[in-house]
């Protein structure tokens, strides 16, 4: 373990003198998942994980598979029991997790949950300005300002014991992209903001839970990247859904329009990988009544974060505002747990492929429904 830590410190020194070479080394180095906990640097020996929902439980399971010694906490006692029955250490509060951990990872629903877990009556920072964990990683999707405020608060603390050269704790905001399936398979993408040295040191943890990590810069930039990504994803899904709904109304099959879009300038993820029309693509939420995937409720929440962030910097984003209104309306109408691609069916009243074709004999509208021009007009 000593040689591993020496190598890590050497890598950090190399990063400061020549970042390009260091990044090249890291990207080509295979952090194996078969390491036992005795091979980890000492700051990785005990990992705390808080938030064991659909995403967090799967991320935590991948850390356990990688050999980390994990302690967990969640407000859902049934989930806690499930982990306890697998032999995983469970704790009654975030503070108890912090006392037993070198690194703490949080995966929570909203900014208010994150603030409570960190600063609440039994929060991670209850110990005052002397903390046990050397690193806190928040993978929740929250507003950048909350990430930055927590980062400042944590960096102002000191460690109860110096850990391999670390004198002060650090925080990384590291939201993810990929959804439940990627969390299950360990193929998430992490968007990471915070101190560069902490990002480099935490790479083994990220690679145990995902396949891509992208360093976004200072504190809060990971959170910024996530809400910008989801903003673009929401607007893209609305545009694609509008196009398919219009196409169906004008008599073209969604499968045909999909082929055209996917080989033309409108090609995008919402069309070629996550098509919202039932009956066009297998393996996506639209093929299973919009169950699973990324919920409309969460999309509405993320768009709310984007709108609030735009107001903070005095920007007017009409597409973001309209998207937020639409997904909020979906949520209020009872479709909050459905995948956000359900906007095609439940907002635009789009039809599945089979249903649409049955309502369009020969695939085109009836002749009497087509307006005719008077070609005999003069002038």
């Amino acid at each position: 373990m000593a040689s591993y830590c020496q190598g890590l410190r050497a890598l950090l020194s190399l990063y400061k003198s020549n970042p390009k070479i260091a990044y090249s080394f890291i990207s080509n180095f295979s952090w194996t998942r078969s390491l036992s906990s005795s091979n980890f640097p000492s700051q990785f020996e005990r990992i705390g994980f808080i938030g064991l929902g659909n995403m967090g439980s799967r991320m935590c399971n991948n850390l356990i598979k990688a050999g980390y010694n994990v302690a967990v906490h969640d407000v859902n006692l049934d989930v806690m029991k499930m982990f306890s029955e697998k032999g995983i250490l469970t704790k009654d509060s975030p503070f108890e997790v912090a006392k037993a951990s070198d690194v703490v990872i949080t995966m929570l629903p909203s900014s208010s949950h994150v603030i409570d877990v960190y600063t609440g009556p039994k929060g991670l920072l209850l110990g005052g300005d002397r903390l046990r964990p050397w690193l806190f990683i928040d993978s929740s999707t929250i507003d950048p300002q909350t990430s930055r405020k927590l980062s400042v608060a944590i960096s102002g603390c000191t460690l109860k014991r110096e850990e391999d050269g670390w004198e002060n704790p650090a925080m990384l905001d590291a939201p993810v992209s990929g959804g439940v399936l990627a969390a299950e398979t360990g193929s998430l993408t992490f968007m990471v903001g915070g101190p560069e040295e902490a990002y480099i040191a935490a790479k083994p943890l990220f690679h145990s839970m995902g396949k891509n990590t992208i360093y976004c810069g200072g504190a809060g930039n990971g959170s910024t990247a996530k809400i910008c990504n989801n903003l673009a994803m929401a607007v893209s899904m609305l545009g694609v859904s509008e196009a398919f709904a219009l196409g169906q109304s004008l008599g073209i099959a969604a499968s045909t329009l999909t082929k055209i879009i996917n080989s033309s300038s409108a090609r995008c993820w919402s069309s070629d990988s996550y098509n919202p029309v039932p009956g066009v693509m297998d393996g996506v939420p639209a093929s299973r009544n919009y169950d699973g995937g990324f919920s409309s409720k969460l999309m509405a929440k993320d768009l709310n974060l984007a709108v609030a962030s735009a107001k903070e910097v005095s920007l007017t984003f009409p597409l973001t505002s309209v998207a937020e209104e639409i997904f909020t309306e979906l949520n209020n109408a009872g479709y909050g747990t459905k995948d956000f691609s359900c906007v095609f069916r439940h907002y635009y009243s789009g039809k599945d492929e089979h249903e649409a074709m049955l309502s369009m004999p020969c695939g085109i509208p009836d002749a009497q429904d087509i307006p005719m021009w008077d070609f005999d007009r003069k002038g």
Side-chain angles (χ1 to χ4, degrees):
M1 183 167 64
S3 61
Y4 190 101
C5 295
Q6 291 171 358
L8 182 60
R9 284 193 288 269
L11 179 58
L12 294 178
S13 176
L14 175 62
Y15 175 82
K16 292 177 180 178
S17 62
N18 197 323
K20 288 185 178 180
I21 294 178
Y23 271 119
S24 176
F25 177 83
I26 292 166
S27 63
N28 289 305
F29 185 81
S30 175
W31 298 99
T32 177
R33 296 189 176 194
S34 62
L35 289 171
S36 67
S37 59
S38 63
N39 289 327
F40 296 137
S42 57
Q43 65 260 43
F44 291 158
E45 287 181 358
R46 299 174 182 84
I47 309 299
F49 204 106
I50 300 173
L52 302 170
N54 288 334
M55 295 291 292
S57 61
R58 290 163 171 82
M59 294 165 65
C60 185
N61 280 332
N62 283 325
L63 287 171
I64 295 168
K65 291 176 184 177
Y68 289 103
N69 185 359
V70 180
V72 301
H73 172 74
D74 194 275
V75 294
N76 187 328
L77 297 182
D78 290 335
V79 174
M80 291 271 280
K81 181 180 178 182
M82 179 183 70
F83 274 85
S84 178
E85 290 174 347
K86 294 192 296 184
I88 305 304
L89 183 65
T90 59
K91 294 293 183 178
D92 294 331
S93 70
F95 178 61
E96 293 298 322
V97 171
K99 290 199 301 183
S101 304
D102 302 307
V103 179
V104 176
I105 301 171
T106 50
M107 186 58 161
L108 302 162
S110 68
S111 298
S112 61
H113 291 93
V114 172
I115 292 171
D116 184 60
V117 163
Y118 276 82
T119 66
K122 297 181 180 181
L124 293 168
L125 306 185
L126 181 61
D129 61 357
R130 289 182 60 79
L131 304 176
R132 161 68 185 272
W134 73 276
L135 178 63
F136 297 84
I137 299 173
D138 181 40
S139 288
S140 316
T141 298
I142 63 173
D143 64 282
Q145 292 307 318
T146 295
S147 295
R148 287 167 180 151
K149 289 176 182 177
L150 287 174
S151 178
V152 170
I154 289 170
S155 63
C157 299
T158 57
L159 290 172
K160 288 186 176 180
R161 59 190 181 106
E162 184 176 328
E163 192 68 65
D164 292 321
W166 295 89
E167 298 178 359
N168 302 96
M171 181 178 184
L172 296 172
D173 48 288
V176 301
S177 179
V180 174
L181 179 60
E184 180 82 35
T185 59
S187 55
L188 292 167
T189 292
F190 287 86
M191 296 158 263
V192 188
E196 296 170 313
E197 293 86 352
Y199 165 70
I200 296 293
K203 274 252 183 178
L205 291 172
F206 292 130
H207 280 242
S208 293
M209 298 178 285
K211 65 177 182 179
N212 297 310
T213 60
I214 301 172
Y215 182 62
C216 302
N221 280 12
S223 296
T224 297
K226 179 59 187 292
I227 63 174
C228 289
N229 179 78
N230 283 15
L231 182 166
M233 182 170 66
V235 172
S236 169
M237 182 58 74
L238 293 180
V240 165
S241 295
E242 283 191 13
F244 284 130
L246 177 61
Q248 286 183 340
S249 298
L250 296 178
I252 187 171
S255 55
T256 301
L257 190 54
T258 295
K259 293 176 183 178
I260 294 168
I261 289 176
N262 291 349
S263 58
S264 303
S265 56
R267 181 180 182 181
C268 62
W269 180 83
S270 295
S271 176
D272 71 5
S273 300
Y274 214 77
N275 198 288
V277 183
V280 171
M281 183 177 292
D282 293 330
V284 296
S287 69
R288 51 179 184 269
N289 195 30
Y290 300 105
D291 290 328
F294 187 69
S295 72
S296 298
K297 179 180 180 179
L298 289 178
M299 180 57 83
K301 183 210 79 171
D302 290 357
L303 287 167
N304 180 267
L305 293 175
V307 169
S309 296
K311 289 179 179 178
E312 286 181 359
V313 291
S314 301
L315 293 176
T316 301
F317 285 175
L319 295 181
T320 307
S321 297
V322 170
E324 181 199 18
E325 292 174 4
I326 290 174
F327 282 103
T328 298
E329 183 177 329
L330 268 182
N331 186 41
N332 293 340
Y335 302 109
T337 60
K338 295 292 186 179
D339 181 77
F340 80 107
S341 62
C342 80
V343 69
F344 169 77
R345 168 62 62 84
H346 299 300
Y347 182 83
Y348 292 106
S349 300
K351 302 175 181 178
D352 65 49
E353 182 76 338
H354 179 67
E355 179 187 8
M357 293 306 297
L358 287 178
S359 66
M360 296 186 297
C362 300
I364 62 172
D366 291 336
Q368 66 262 24
D369 295 330
I370 302 176
M372 302 299 291
W373 289 290
D374 183 0
F375 290 104
D376 294 330
R377 289 185 304 174
K378 296 182 179 179

